[in-house]
Amino acid sequence: GSKSGVIGQTEIDYEEGTWDPVPRGASGSSGSWNYSFTGKYTKIGNTVTVTAYGYISNKGSWSGNAILDGLPFPVGLQNSNASIGMYPSAAVDAAMRTCTTAHNDSHCTFRKGSKLDAIEQWTDWVTGYYLTLTVTYFVA
């Protein structure tokens, strides 16, 4: 009808834009850290889908869990998993990999293992590998 974007008398909460994905370790410091990542997002109601693409050319002085920081909206009450393309890990194994979000976080944490029960460490990552990532999560 004439009210595009409106269902009944309620407007659809729709937004799209770009975000700045930041791959890093959960602790330590940036040092000579260098990366090139781009990201886009779409938010419909309380559902956000983000995509990220890029590579790390220098890991800097980070350590701890491998995370992708800078999600455009904090994660709501429900945790989510991601779909990952090529993954910058030095490990050559048959373990599955994903990136999980947790309540109130602004990042996703990389997990590995046949049950996705182990957290990927920043030291496991190698430079020069490309990462593609799609995460759908819920906001409050």
Side-chain angles (χ1 to χ4, degrees):
S2 62
K3 295 183 176 181
S4 178
V6 176
I7 299 174
Q9 298 299 315
T10 306
E11 290 188 36
I12 297 172
D13 178 15
Y14 180 87
E15 181 181 340
E16 59 183 33
T18 60
W19 67 290
D20 296 319
V22 181
R24 65 178 182 86
S27 57
S29 63
S30 57
S32 55
W33 170 56
N34 193 11
Y35 64 93
S36 176
F37 268 76
T38 60
K40 294 184 178 187
Y41 73 87
T42 302
K43 180 179 180 284
I44 302 172
N46 69 343
T47 305
V48 179
T49 299
V50 296
T51 60
Y53 174 77
Y55 65 93
I56 301 164
S57 55
N58 189 316
K59 295 192 321 179
S61 302
W62 294 108
S63 60
N65 302 343
I67 65 173
L68 190 65
D69 207 358
L71 292 174
F73 303 95
V75 178
L77 295 176
Q78 187 170 351
N79 298 350
S80 303
N81 289 313
S83 171
I84 298 176
M86 186 175 284
Y87 190 84
S89 175
V92 178
D93 56 36
M96 297 185 301
R97 293 196 167 42
T98 192
C99 193
T100 59
T101 62
H103 175 61
N104 283 335
D105 279 348
S106 61
H107 67 269
C108 61
T109 301
F110 289 87
R111 294 185 163 276
K112 64 182 179 178
S114 59
K115 296 179 183 177
L116 299 174
D117 55 352
I119 296 176
E120 180 83 1
Q121 296 299 300
W122 183 254
T123 54
D124 294 338
W125 283 29
V126 294
T127 59
Y129 282 71
Y130 282 83
L131 170 70
T132 60
L133 176 80
T134 301
V135 182
T136 298
Y137 65 98
F138 301 100
V139 296

